[in-house]
Structures are given as structure tokens and as C-alpha cells.
């Protein structure tokens, strides 16, 4: 059975609304770089039309984007293995087929390796290095090999291969959609959804690497093109029910996205609750995302407080957690008066540092010991007043 993934028409019936399994082809209305000249970053602001989709969302929800692989990487794979791009390969459990080029572009994940892929691939080569790498006692080395490498690395490193194109693609898993925090309020932007996406580019093991979806959006998606999308609800990250409740938001870099939606929603609803945003990035001149917009909201009183931290603008690196500590007394007063505390962004470093800073603020301003401050924070979590959207 032939499966066509390109140029999918938008079809929706009562039985099949647009969803993860039936994504909507959303037209790109705007795609701009938010970073100024001289920035080491590229952050895309993308506006998509939801007209005719029936899709809606709440502030805090995510948008799933179904990406396509980099054509240059696909071409390199075809060349490395001397494969004919027109070869038909089976891709699904129902026996669906696609041309090899189409399958590598739109169906399979080709930028990630796993232990399972290498173990199965070892049956198609006599390469001693791979046979050794998959031994149980070399589990740590195998894990290390997989990190930062992709299918092309594996094919180059462990040949010669006694495998057909079908054998190799059968090792691969299906491409997974990428989820991005929605950066708009539908009340403020009817029939639209906005995203804030940082382009991921880095060098690893002697090759330039690109984020599958982020660089698709940065380099290959133009205004007028379409992206396959669906809404992913996020029940654990949402505005308080009452517009009278104060909110504190910590979102450096692209972590600003859901807070832009929160602020827009509160502006439309004329919410009485106070709103405080901590935003950070590298340089104020080139990396202050949505600066004019945020300053207008502050001038209009929608954004009560705006504190920024630009880490590369001074000798000492200043991050959002330092700004929290600087304003600890007021921050604790807001919490004592019932404010909700939100954090969005990098789980590994930023979210942990913000969590530690918050405990320090509670400890100092509440005159608690560390254990009591941690218990205070746990109580906030229990009440649903400490919410994190981390990745």
C-alpha cells in the first residue's frame, strides 16, 4: 500500500479531527529571526494559520510539529551506501511503501542512534570494532558512541555492509514530532498559533550537526509554506483560574514562549493580578527576545515587573537566578500573598539553579532553615502554585 507524506491535503471529518495521528497543514504566515546582528544565536518567531482547522489551545499548551530530515544528510546517506533513491522500501506495520529518498526524508529518524540499532546492525557487518562495541562489558563505550552521532556515522565507521537499503531502514524508528511551547494566546490571535524556536547547530565528532526541526524552521520553511502540526495539551502548566492571582514567571531564552502566551491572555482578559517576568539571555543588544512587546506591556501595566539578566554583558555572568536572589524580599512577599511561580526552559542547569535560588530566597526571607524552606516549596507544589515546563 502506497503511503504519501508530502503535500498532504487537510481533511477533517467528524470522526477524525486534526491530531497527532492526523496533523493539520498550517500555513506559515511569518518566520523571522528575533536575534539582532552579532548574536551567536538564531531564534525564529513563527506565526502559523489555524484557519479551518477547528484547533484551539490554552496558554501553556504545546504545538507538535512533524519535521523532515535535512536533504543534505539524506543525500550523504544515499551516496555513502550507493543506494538508488527510487528503491521502494517498506516503512509501516501494514506493509506501506515509500521510495527510499522519501522514507529517509520524511518517515525515519536518522539523526539518533541507540544501543538497539547498533546491536541489530552488527548482524550486517563483520567489522570487529562494532562486534567489540556491542559486548555487554562495553556498555559504557556503546552509550558514549551513540551520544552525538547519527546513522551516517555508523554506516561510515563500521562497514563494509552486507545489507540492503531495506535491511538498514528496518533498524530505524519512526520520526517523532517535536513539541514546542506555544508562544501566543488564541484570544489575542484568533485562528493563529505562534512559536519561538531556537535553531540548534553544533559540531560533534568532526561534523556539523543540525537540529532536525529547529533548522528546518530556520533554513528551509518560508512564509507561504506549510508545517504539519497538532495541539498537545499541557494540564500541568497553566494560568491560575482567577485573573486576580499574581504570577511570577522565569523564562530565559526560548523559555519566554509560554509566558508570552500568558501575558497576551492576561492583556485580553484585563486580569487584575500582578505579573512579574524574569528573562535572561546572552546580550541585551541582540538577544532580548520580544523586547519592544514586553516593554509596551510593562508601560501599559499588563506586566507589573520585568527583570532581565544578560550573562555576557558584564565580567561576571549574571543569570535569572541571580536576579531572583537580588529581589528575594519582594519575591517572597508575592509568594506569601498567593502568587503562582512558573519556570520554563533547560532542565539540566537553569531549572535546577532557579529551584535552588528559590529555596534560598524562602530560607532567607522566611527565616527558615534549609529543610523548612524545602518543605515550603513542596507545599507550593502540592497547592499547584509551583509549575515547571522543563526539557
Amino acid at each position: 500500500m502506497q503511503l504519501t507524506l508530502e503535500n498532504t491535503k487537510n481533511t477533517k471529518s467528524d470522526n477524525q479531527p486534526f491530531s497527532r495521528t492526523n496533523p493539520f497543514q498550517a500555513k506559515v504566515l511569518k518566520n523571522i529571526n528575533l536575534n539582532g546582528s552579532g548574536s551567536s544565536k538564531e531564534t525564529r518567531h513563527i506565526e502559523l494559520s489555524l484557519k479551518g482547522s477547528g484547533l484551539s489551545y490554552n496558554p501553556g499548551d504545546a504545538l507538535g510539529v512533524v519535521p523532515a530530515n535535512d536533504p543534505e544528510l539524506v543525500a550523504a546517506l544515499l551516496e555513502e551506501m550507493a543506494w538508488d533513491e527510487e528503491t521502494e522500501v517498506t516503512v509501516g506495520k501494514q506493509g506501506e511503501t515509500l521510495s527510499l529518498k522519501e522514507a529517509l526524508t520524511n518517515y525515519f529518524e536518522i539523526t539518533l542512534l541507540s544501543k538497539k540499532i547498533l546491536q541489530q546492525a552488527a548482524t550486517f557487518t563483520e567489522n570487529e570494532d562494532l562486534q567489540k562495541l556491542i559486548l555487554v562489558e562495553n556498555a559504557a563505550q556503546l552509550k558514549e558512541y551513540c551520544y552525538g552521532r547519527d546513522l551516517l556515522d555508523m554506516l561510515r565507521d563500521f562497514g563494509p555492509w552486507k545489507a540492503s537499503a531495506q535491511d538498514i531502514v528496518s533498524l530505524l524508528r519512526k520520526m517523532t514530532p517535536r513539541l514546542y511551547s506555544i508562544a501566543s494566546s488564541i484570544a489575542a490571535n484568533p485562528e493563529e498559533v505562534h512559536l519561538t524556536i531556537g535553531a540548534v547547530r553544533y559540531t560533534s565528532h568532526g561534523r556539523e550537526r543540525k537540529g532536525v526541526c529547529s533548522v528546518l524552521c530556520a533554513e528551509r520553511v518560508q512564509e507561504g509554506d506549510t508545517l504539519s502540526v497538532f495541539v498537545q495539551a499541557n494540564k500541568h502548566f497553566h494560568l491560575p483560574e482567577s485573573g486576580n492571582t499574581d504570577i511570577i514567571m522565569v523564562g530565559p531564552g526560548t523559555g519566554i514562549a509560554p509566558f508570552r502566551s500568558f501575558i497576551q491572555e492576561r492583556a485580553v482578559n484585563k486580569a487584575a493580578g500582578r505579573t512579574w517576568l524574569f528573562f535572561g539571555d546572552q546580550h541585551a543588544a541582540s538577544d532580548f527576545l520580544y523586547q519592544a512587546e514586553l516593554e509596551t506591556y510593562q508601560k501599559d501595566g499588563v506586566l507589573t515587573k520585568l527583570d532581565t539578566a544578560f550573562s555576557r554583558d558584564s565580567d561576571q555572568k549574571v543569570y535569572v537566578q541571580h536576579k531572583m536572589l537580588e529581589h528575594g524580599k519582594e519575591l517572597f512577599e508575592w509568594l506569601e500573598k498567593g502568587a503562582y511561580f512558573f519556570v520554563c526552559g533547560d532542565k539540566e542547569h537553569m531549572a535546577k539553579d532557579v529551584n535552588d535560588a528559590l529555596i534560598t530566597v524562602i530560607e532567607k526571607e522566611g527565616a527558615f532553615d534549609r529543610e523548612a524552606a524545602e518543605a515550603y516549596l513542596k507545599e507550593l507544589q502540592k497547592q499547584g502554585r509551583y509549575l515547571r515546563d522543563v526539557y
Side-chain angles (χ1 to χ4, degrees):
M1 161 174 141
Q2 187 70 27
L3 182 74
T4 308
L5 298 172
E6 287 277 4
N7 304 320
T8 315
K9 292 275 190 286
N10 279 321
T11 53
K12 176 179 171 237
S13 68
D14 292 337
N15 302 329
Q16 200 181 19
F18 292 114
S19 64
R20 178 184 279 263
T21 52
N22 182 37
F24 176 70
Q25 301 301 304
K27 187 178 177 183
V28 179
L29 304 172
K30 193 182 277 190
N31 185 352
I32 58 169
N33 183 8
L34 293 173
N35 297 97
S37 59
S39 176
S40 65
K41 298 184 172 189
E42 182 180 358
T43 311
R44 307 305 297 192
H45 169 77
I46 298 175
E47 300 184 2
L48 299 165
S49 171
L50 294 179
K51 201 170 181 182
S53 69
L55 291 172
S56 189
Y57 57 87
N58 294 308
D61 286 349
L63 193 76
V65 180
V66 182
N69 286 310
D70 184 348
E72 288 180 15
L73 181 57
V74 172
L77 282 166
L78 292 169
E79 187 183 346
E80 176 65 28
M81 299 299 285
W83 283 333
D84 177 357
E85 64 180 48
E86 296 302 325
T87 302
E88 291 280 311
V89 289
T90 303
V91 295
K93 289 175 183 169
Q94 309 299 318
E96 305 97 323
T97 62
L98 287 173
S99 73
L100 180 56
K101 184 181 178 182
E102 173 85 358
L104 292 173
T105 303
N106 291 307
Y107 193 86
F108 289 112
E109 198 78 74
I110 60 174
T111 61
L112 299 174
L113 288 178
S114 67
K115 181 172 84 170
K116 187 180 175 189
I117 288 173
L118 270 83
Q119 286 170 336
Q120 291 178 334
T123 61
F124 298 122
T125 177
E126 288 166 9
N127 185 289
E128 288 179 15
D129 290 339
L130 182 54
Q131 304 305 330
K132 191 176 165 189
L133 191 62
I134 62 167
L135 294 173
V136 177
E137 59 266 31
N138 293 329
Q141 290 95 308
L142 179 58
K143 188 178 178 183
E144 191 185 331
Y145 179 84
C146 291
Y147 186 77
R149 286 188 174 90
D150 62 16
L151 180 63
L152 183 58
D153 293 308
M154 183 190 84
L155 294 175
R156 284 177 174 170
D157 290 346
F158 301 124
W161 296 91
K162 300 175 294 181
S164 65
Q166 182 69 62
D167 290 332
I168 297 297
V169 299
S170 295
L171 305 174
L172 307 176
R173 72 177 192 186
K174 191 179 175 186
M175 179 100 77
T176 53
R178 274 44 173 185
L179 295 175
Y180 295 101
S181 296
I182 290 173
S184 56
S185 154
I186 204 161
N189 306 274
E191 298 190 313
E192 285 185 19
V193 62
H194 301 174
L195 298 175
T196 310
I197 301 177
V200 176
R201 298 184 182 92
Y202 59 97
T203 302
S204 170
H205 307 294
R207 279 179 48 213
E208 295 290 316
R209 315 282 168 162
K210 297 176 178 181
V212 175
C213 196
S214 66
V215 175
L216 163 72
C217 292
E219 294 180 2
R220 306 198 303 279
V221 171
Q222 312 296 323
E223 289 171 15
D225 291 345
T226 60
L227 281 173
S228 300
V229 304
F230 59 91
V231 171
Q232 179 82 38
N234 185 355
K235 293 182 172 61
H236 306 292
F237 199 79
H238 52 79
L239 280 164
E241 281 181 27
S242 170
N244 296 325
T245 305
D246 297 339
I247 58 172
I248 302 163
M249 304 166 288
V250 182
T254 55
I256 185 75
F259 302 136
R260 183 176 184 260
S261 80
F262 283 13
I263 295 163
Q264 286 187 352
E265 183 83 0
R266 287 204 143 188
V268 169
N269 294 335
K270 298 184 168 50
R274 295 176 300 171
T275 305
W276 188 352
L277 174 67
F278 289 90
F279 173 76
D281 215 314
Q282 292 185 350
H283 299 284
S286 58
D287 303 316
F288 194 165
L289 309 182
Y290 302 113
Q291 179 179 1
E293 211 175 285
L294 292 171
E295 288 173 350
T296 300
Y297 281 128
Q298 192 177 17
K299 187 164 66 71
D300 294 346
V302 175
L303 189 53
T304 315
K305 286 178 71 67
L306 173 61
D307 283 290
T308 56
F310 294 100
S311 60
R312 307 292 165 85
D313 282 349
S314 58
D315 294 338
Q316 284 200 313
K317 289 189 176 176
V318 179
Y319 297 109
V320 283
Q321 63 269 23
H322 299 126
K323 289 291 177 178
M324 287 169 56
L325 294 168
E326 194 183 307
H327 297 281
K329 187 171 186 292
E330 191 174 0
L331 204 159
F332 186 68
E333 284 170 3
W334 279 48
L335 290 177
E336 285 285 88
K337 287 177 180 169
Y340 277 50
F341 187 95
F342 297 88
V343 60
C344 178
D346 165 46
K347 178 164 58 177
E348 285 295 302
H349 306 288
M350 185 279 300
K352 184 180 176 298
D353 292 339
V354 166
N355 191 74
D356 290 346
L358 190 54
I359 293 168
T360 301
V361 165
I362 294 163
E363 184 181 12
K364 185 184 170 203
E365 303 303 333
F368 296 117
D369 61 22
R370 194 76 179 173
E371 202 176 321
E374 286 170 356
Y376 183 103
L377 194 58
K378 279 198 177 127
E379 184 56 33
L380 283 184
Q381 279 177 301
K382 208 165 138 191
Q383 292 173 14
R385 287 174 48 210
Y386 177 43
L387 300 99
R388 292 157 36 111
D389 186 13
V390 295
Y391 40 84

